[in-house]
């Protein structure tokens, strides 16, 4: 019994804690975007038919799934490094019958090529936005809209900033 208990603990450690610590160390810990911010994100994105929305560090899938439901004319994709969160998103996609239009990948966004996306959403950390800014310049096509909740991209001029009372700012950048 004792050994089984220890094995379960070890499994929880491997599946939950280790990836969470790794994610926090490399980019950002899991903190979900507030539901009430999603409409502001949609407003900034100005989606067009067949746009690809890509969420870097998709968390529990809250944003990507809400956007897929509210914007039936676009494709939605996310990438998440934490296996448990990835599994949760995968199950949510299936349960919501969105499998034909919504995809989530298990892995690091540093390894993801960004060239296909028309809209990229991030809720990460300042140092991560700085690291990603070089990747955005290298890989994003002209006109790509990059939206960042709370943290601006250091040194970049935002095209638009969405503000709301007692809520964090959401920044829009457009690749030239
Ligand atoms: C602050 S949370 C935001 C979650 C979600 N985007 C939201 O707004 O609700 C950051 C997420 O990024 C994930 N993450 C951290 N580093 C990552 C990496 N290198 N590649 C992919 N995901 C990563 C974390 O596991 C976490 O779920």
């Amino acid at each position: 019994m004792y050994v089984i208990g220890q094995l379960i603990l070890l499994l929880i450690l491997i599946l939950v804690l280790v990836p969470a610590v790794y994610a926090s160390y490399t980019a950002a810990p899991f903190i979900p975007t507030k539901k009430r911010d999603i409409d502001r994100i949609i407003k900034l994105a100005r989606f067009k038919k067949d746009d690809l929305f890509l969420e870097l560090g998709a968390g529990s899938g809250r944003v990507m799934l809400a956007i897929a439901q509210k914007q039936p004319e676009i494709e939605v994709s996310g990438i998440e490094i934490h296996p448990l969160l990835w599994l949760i998103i995968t199950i949510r996609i299936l349960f919501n019958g969105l499998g034909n239009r919504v995809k989530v990948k298990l892995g690091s966004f540093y390894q993801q090529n960004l060239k296909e996306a028309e809209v990229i959403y991030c809720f990460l950390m300042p140092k991560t936005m700085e690291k990603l800014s070089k990747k955005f310049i290298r890989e994003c096509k002209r006109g790509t809209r990059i939206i960042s909740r709370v943290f601006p991209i250091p040194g970049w001029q935002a095209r638009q900033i969405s503000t709301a009372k007692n809520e964090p700012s959401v920044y829009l950048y457009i690749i030239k």
Side-chain angles (χ1 to χ4, degrees), residues 61-130:
R62 175 182 283 177
V63 177
M64 55 182 285
L65 287 164
I67 286 184
Q69 278 157 345
K70 288 175 182 233
Q71 305 288 141
E73 75 291 0
I74 65 161
E75 302 277 313
V76 172
S77 171
I79 179 155
E80 173 53 56
I81 204 165
H82 196 304
L84 201 64
L85 291 170
W86 168 82
L87 187 65
I88 289 169
I89 303 174
T90 304
I91 293 169
R92 291 181 77 183
I93 292 173
L94 293 177
F95 264 65
N96 285 284
L98 292 166
N100 58 334
R101 217 159 45 78
V102 183
K103 308 268 176 289
V104 63
K105 207 184 210 180
L106 176 62
S108 171
F109 47 65
Y110 293 122
Q111 259 75 61
Q112 166 82 33
N113 196 303
L114 308 175
K115 66 174 188 222
E116 306 292 341
E118 275 81 26
V119 179
I120 294 175
Y121 175 65
C122 314
F123 172 30
L124 298 164
M125 297 288 276
K127 68 172 172 27
T128 312
M129 294 314 294
E130 185 165 11

Side-chain angles (χ1 to χ4, degrees), residues 22-39:
Y22 181 74
S24 309
Y25 174 72
T26 61
F30 171 54
I31 304 166
T33 290
K34 296 255 164 49
K35 280 184 188 158
R36 55 179 176 267
D37 288 343
I38 293 174
D39 283 338

Side-chain angles (χ1 to χ4, degrees), residues 126-163:
K127 68 172 172 27
T128 312
M129 294 314 294
E130 185 165 11
K131 256 172 128 177
L132 281 173
S133 66
K134 296 170 189 90
K135 189 170 166 66
F136 293 148
I137 291 169
R138 268 199 319 273
E139 295 176 12
C140 290
K141 59 190 170 201
R142 216 186 205 194
T144 304
R145 283 95 82 198
I146 298 168
I147 298 172
S148 178
R149 180 175 184 268
V150 184
F151 304 110
I153 304 178
W156 287 32
Q157 180 75 46
R159 176 68 71 97
Q160 202 180 326
I161 304 174
S162 164
T163 52

